[in-house]
Amino acid sequence: MQKRALLLLLATVSIACKEIRDNPPISGAQSAAEFQEPNRPQFHFSPPSGWLNDPNGLVYHEGVYHLFYQHYPHATVWGPMHWGHAVSKDMIRWEHKPIGLFPDENGLIFSGSAVVDIQNTSGFGKDGQVPLVTIFTYHSMQGEKVGRQDFQTQGIAYSLDNGDTWIKYKGNPVIGNDGVKDLRDPKVFWHEETQSWIMVLVAGDHIKLYRSRNLRDWDNISDFGQGQGAQGGVWECPDLFPLQVEGSEEEKWVLIISVGNGAPNGGSGTQYFIGDFDGITFTSDQIPYKWLDWGTDNYAGVTYNNAPNGERLFIGWMSNWQYALKTPATTWRSAMTLPRKLSLRKINGEYTLINYPLTAVESLAEETPGEQVTIPIEEIYSKMHPSLNQAMISFTLPKQDFKLTLSNEKGEKTAVLLDAASQLLMLDRTASGITEFNYEFGNKLQYAAPESLSDTLEFSIFMDASSMELFVNKGQCVITAQLFPNQPYTHLEIENLSNGELRITELKIRPMPSVW
Ligand code: FRU
């Protein structure tokens, strides 16, 4: 009781203090020793302390990748939202910065994006200094409490020192609300052809597109999505961008949309639509639902603005609203997925969004020679390794039934299974370690049903202290899942479940360093 009262007091003080100091050093750089708590990821981004959810304001500027994130610094559960902030030169080694945006009189700071306003269209730039501008959702707790529908509006802020300090625009909110519940998560990008800023904004079960010349005045130009795709929950965190189809000149537009409930393995997940955008309207005649990641733990992911070499770089929040508040935690809770590069591939006539960790992640992994292993029918190949929870495990094999199990001395285990005939990939974390905190987490088998798998399959599995990211064929099919073993897995087994010899090549267990 006392603790709750204290939390409430701290939250109020944090809001009240906003005008006095906009950047108190709540989150500062951490020493490696502080990143050794149980389950603390060693090569994924996690907050120094407190709560984290969605990645926000992903933008690259002057050699720096910015990562803002939904953050409650005073407890390990969701609370009045701030934008935490970190910077990196490679998206792998992050430096924690003081909090970027604090709640203010308009509300809490929900998810949004950031742009580099190169032409100073906003007029926020001074003395030739290019402004960084964030566009975010204001969430009014009071409005929500008294049952209003219009409690979410959109605001902007700018920085003239590459993100270190932020000034909120006096004319906020820049987009008001005429009664739309769940009007949030603006993603803004520069559209060269029309020389304008385009915003994709969620409006409950669909998205609204807006256009602006100056980031301050916005017009609603079109809507998309009512009745389309997975609608099991509210839509959240949209992103819209072009990608060239691999090996061709064809360009398509991709709309990423997170959906709060009804993902293939339960709870929240990220779907996408492939279509076209003419500067005003996004259209897609896609019928099947498409999922960026089949696993339970990749939500609210969006991509970088202004990334070098035109690359489309993605980060997601590695959790699920089904149990996000309940996962084992000490001084912090939740982490981001590995940074991934997106590309578009046509597989059997179907556009497929590919996502795979940046080359820089793979090059962190210690080089080890690849092993060739032949496993007779019904036999098991087995190998010990001191820390399978901080490694990249990779191998290539023909499309045949198998089961890979990672386990520890306590008998806790996580298994990956392939059923070749039905092209189903499964993940079993029911005995993976700490699972009792949530029924869905500990009792459901996860599955992925990728489109047309090739006859030879390449597996890459990135294991960190509390997560597994599994990629087939470098991102054609992905499963991201949290795991909480009580001690690291040290034993790897591959069981041949097919009716022929199983020949595995290039089997590698490559230890990953800690980046903290
Ligand atoms: C997605 C989300 C967003 C919202 C934010 C609040 O996880 O619900 O829609 O802006 O989290 O923290």
Side-chain angles (χ1 to χ4, degrees):
M1 187 60 197
Q2 249 181 358
K3 199 174 159 204
R4 279 175 83 200
L6 182 69
L7 285 179
L8 207 69
L9 179 73
L10 283 171
T12 321
V13 168
S14 133
I15 295 172
C17 282
K18 181 252 149 197
E19 292 307 333
I20 309 166
R21 40 175 209 170
D22 223 27
N23 280 299
I26 291 175
S27 307
Q30 298 290 297
S31 74
E34 285 169 274
F35 267 66
Q36 297 301 318
E37 305 97 327
N39 304 318
R40 178 70 100 166
Q42 293 302 305
F43 60 99
H44 284 78
F45 181 82
S46 58
S49 60
W51 164 267
L52 165 149
N53 59 292
D54 317 354
N56 295 151
L58 302 184
V59 68
Y60 177 83
H61 185 47
E62 290 179 350
V64 174
Y65 292 93
H66 292 271
L67 166 58
F68 295 91
Y69 54 95
Q70 288 288 278
H71 186 38
Y72 183 50
H74 304 299
T76 53
V77 287
W78 192 92
M81 282 291 115
H82 301 55
W83 274 28
H85 186 202
V87 291
S88 174
K89 295 214 157 109
D90 56 8
M91 294 178 75
I92 293 167
R93 294 176 181 83
W94 296 95
E95 180 194 335
H96 294 287
K97 298 285 259 183
I99 283 170
L101 297 173
F102 284 77
D104 63 35
E105 59 284 356
N106 287 313
L108 317 179
I109 315 294
F110 272 22
S111 288
S113 49
V115 297
V116 185
D117 184 11
I118 296 166
Q119 298 177 36
N120 194 21
T121 61
S122 61
F124 293 141
K126 265 190 212 117
D127 308 326
Q129 182 68 38
V130 170
L132 276 185
V133 181
T134 52
I135 309 94
F136 50 84
T137 297
Y138 272 123
H139 177 99
S140 158
M141 286 292 241
Q142 289 93 321
E144 189 184 19
K145 244 185 233 152
V146 299
R148 298 176 68 110
Q149 299 286 300
D150 59 358
F151 53 86
Q152 291 182 338
T153 55
Q154 319 309 315
I156 60 177
Y158 64 95
S159 167
L160 297 175
D161 53 10
N162 203 3
D164 280 350
T165 51
W166 290 88
I167 301 158
K168 301 242 181 67
Y169 173 49
K170 285 199 191 76
N172 278 340
V174 290
I175 298 181
N177 189 325
D178 52 16
V180 183
K181 196 165 174 271
D182 301 314
L183 188 69
R184 61 173 178 265
D185 307 341
K187 171 68 193 254
V188 174
F189 62 93
W190 177 250
H191 189 248
E192 191 61 32
E193 291 79 353
T194 55
Q195 291 289 299
S196 58
W197 297 103
I198 302 291
M199 176 195 292
V200 229
L201 186 69
V202 153
D205 61 353
H206 65 284
I207 59 157
K208 287 185 161 299
L209 279 86
Y210 289 78
R211 183 169 60 190
S212 173
R213 302 276 174 213
N214 58 11
L215 293 165
R216 303 176 187 214
D217 307 303
W218 293 92
D219 296 315
N220 180 203
I221 48 171
S222 64
D223 288 7
F224 170 84
Q226 216 140 33
Q228 279 184 264
Q231 294 275 358
V234 67
W235 280 13
E236 300 184 310
C237 301
D239 197 356
L240 179 65
F241 49 84
L243 275 181
Q244 203 168 322
V245 180
E246 278 180 10
S248 86
E249 292 292 300
E250 188 185 9
E251 185 184 84
K252 297 300 280 182
W253 282 74
V254 182
L255 174 71
I256 292 183
I257 272 284
S258 285
V259 53
N261 204 6
N265 288 294
S268 33
T270 308
Q271 60 174 329
Y272 66 91
F273 295 90
I274 308 294
D276 298 293
F277 176 61
D278 61 6
I280 295 180
T281 315
F282 174 75
T283 45
S284 170
D285 52 12
Q286 177 184 307
I287 304 287
Y289 301 176
K290 291 180 184 260
W291 300 97
L292 181 133
D293 195 316
W294 291 84
T296 40
D297 297 292
N298 184 353
Y299 193 61
V302 282
T303 66
Y304 269 84
N305 272 327
N306 212 32
N309 311 316
E311 290 193 325
R312 200 36 71 178
L313 309 176
F314 169 98
I315 295 180
W317 170 42
M318 204 153 47
S319 199
N320 189 314
W321 280 119
Q322 228 172 20
Y323 45 69
L325 299 156
K326 305 219 168 83
T327 54
T330 50
T331 55
W332 94 102
R333 190 182 258 128
S334 274
M336 296 299 179
T337 66
L338 284 172
R340 303 177 185 181
K341 188 181 153 186
L342 303 184
S343 53
L344 200 55
R345 189 175 300 159
K346 231 175 174 174
I347 303 172
N348 277 354
E350 283 280 330
Y351 296 107
T352 308
L353 187 61
I354 306 292
N355 66 104
Y356 191 73
L358 307 190
T359 321
V361 175
E362 216 174 297
S363 42
L364 276 182
E366 209 175 277
E367 219 11 286
T368 356
E371 264 183 74
Q372 188 163 323
V373 175
T374 302
I375 313 171
I377 303 179
E378 288 177 8
E379 302 248 319
I380 297 175
Y381 166 83
S382 151
K383 193 180 174 93
M384 300 298 288
H385 192 279
S387 174
L388 292 171
N389 278 97
Q390 205 177 312
M392 174 186 173
I393 303 165
S394 56
F395 53 93
T396 302
L397 80 187
K399 192 167 63 183
Q400 281 175 228
D401 296 358
F402 76 92
K403 177 178 178 184
L404 173 138
T405 309
L406 303 173
S407 60
N408 63 19
E409 278 163 21
K410 286 183 172 289
E412 297 168 340
K413 55 185 187 220
T414 295
V416 174
L417 291 102
L418 177 71
D419 180 348
S422 56
Q423 302 218 99
L424 270 189
L425 192 64
M426 285 157 282
L427 173 69
D428 183 354
R429 64 173 174 187
T430 55
S432 56
I434 307 169
T435 61
E436 331 62 69
F437 57 88
N438 174 266
Y439 180 84
E440 306 292 325
F441 186 99
N443 293 280
K444 298 268 170 76
L445 204 64
Q446 298 190 30
Y447 78 98
E451 282 153 14
S452 320
L453 285 179
S454 46
D455 290 341
T456 302
L457 303 173
E458 205 181 328
F459 279 79
S460 317
I461 304 173
F462 294 84
M463 295 290 299
D464 204 340
S466 48
S467 62
M468 167 188 261
E469 283 158 287
L470 181 154
F471 300 87
V472 181
N473 291 345
K474 302 250 168 192
Q476 176 191 343
C477 174
V478 183
I479 297 184
T480 300
Q482 292 182 90
L483 309 168
F484 300 97
N486 281 296
Q487 47 178 253
Y489 297 140
T490 46
H491 190 184
L492 173 144
E493 277 185 5
I494 304 177
E495 186 176 353
N496 180 359
L497 297 174
S498 75
N499 45 19
E501 205 174 59
L502 182 63
R503 281 164 184 267
I504 299 182
T505 53
E506 286 298 300
L507 173 62
K508 291 182 184 181
I509 301 173
R510 302 172 62 187
M512 295 289 282
S514 173
V515 300
W516 301 106

